[in-house]
Each structure stands twice: as structure tokens, then as C-alpha cells.
Amino acid sequence: MLPYRRHPGVRPLQFALSGLHAHIGHDLVLTVVDNCHALGCAPPDLDGEFERVGDLLVSLEERIHEDLMPGPELLGIADPLTHLVSSWNLERAREAARVLWRLRGFPSPAEEFRHRTDVGAGLVGRFLLTPCR
């Protein structure tokens, strides 16, 4: 994703949304499972904390929109981006963490699931960084 850093057609909003998606679709999933191992609990036991993280992410998304949204002349470009950002889904991340937790006794499928989570997050991140011009 670094090759797009200086591309004139990739807006700061795109980088912010790409990072937000990576944290939800990848990092959050792995962090929930790692914390469950450390705390000796299962993902449903962390639902309250998960909801608090979700509230924080929603407010962050709102701030990103306010701070980085281009002016009216670029709204045609921004519309597809605002639609793409809604591709993140906290409930899907929660379910992915639960699946990974259920696979904890099966190292090979668990590693494959982790890998697929990484690949999926990377794919969406690259889509979000598609140059607008």
C-alpha cells in the first residue's frame, strides 16, 4: 500500500478508511483471540469490550468523514469511497474471532484462517486505495 503514498489520485480519506478497515477486519480479530488466550476466556466473554471498541470506531469513522472529506467539487469521487467504508462490519469481525477461537485446537486450519483474514483485509485495503484519477 505504500506505493500509493505519493500518488496524486489517492486522497487522505482513502488512506484513513483503508487503515480503519485493516484494524477491524484483521487486527481486531487477532487481538480478541490473543486476549482470550491471555485472559483464559472465550470471545463471547469480551462482548462488552467489543461493543465499546465498536462505539469508538463509529465515532472515529464520523471524524474521518468530517476531517478528510473533500470539498463539493470532489463529492463525485467521495461517494464511492463513503460506500466502500461501510464494507467494514464489526459483527463479521466478531464472528471471525469466534471461528478462529474454535479452531485453536487445530493449528493448520487456524493458521490458514489467519492467513485468509490477512489476505482479505489486504484486498479490501488495496481496493480502498484505488486512485480516483
Side-chain angles (χ1 to χ4, degrees), residues 9-130:
V10 179
R11 310 270 183 244
L13 174 64
Q14 290 173 260
F15 282 104
L17 298 179
S18 180
L20 180 62
H21 187 277
H23 286 303
I24 295 165
H26 180 267
D27 302 343
L28 183 59
V29 173
L30 302 182
T31 299
V32 167
V33 173
D34 290 347
N35 280 309
C36 287
H37 283 293
L39 297 171
C41 64
D45 298 330
L46 300 179
D47 278 349
E49 287 79 5
F50 207 92
E51 292 303 321
R52 283 191 285 282
V53 167
D55 292 343
L56 176 67
L57 290 171
V58 166
S59 68
L60 178 61
E61 180 189 9
E62 290 169 0
R63 184 169 176 204
I64 287 170
H65 282 278
E66 290 171 12
D67 293 350
L68 299 177
M69 186 62 81
E73 70 281 357
L74 295 177
L75 283 178
I77 293 170
D79 263 358
L81 294 176
T82 56
H83 173 72
L84 281 173
V85 73
S86 66
S87 67
W88 71 265
N89 183 305
L90 207 55
E91 194 53 45
R92 275 183 260 161
R94 183 191 324 249
E95 185 56 34
R98 290 178 178 178
V99 168
L100 188 55
W101 179 253
R102 287 190 294 268
L103 290 173
R104 70 190 180 281
F106 306 95
S108 183
E111 184 55 37
E112 178 68 19
F113 190 83
R114 281 179 182 262
H115 174 71
R116 297 292 175 188
T117 300
D118 182 48
V119 168
L123 177 66
V124 172
R126 286 187 299 281
F127 283 151
L128 286 168
L129 293 177
T130 299

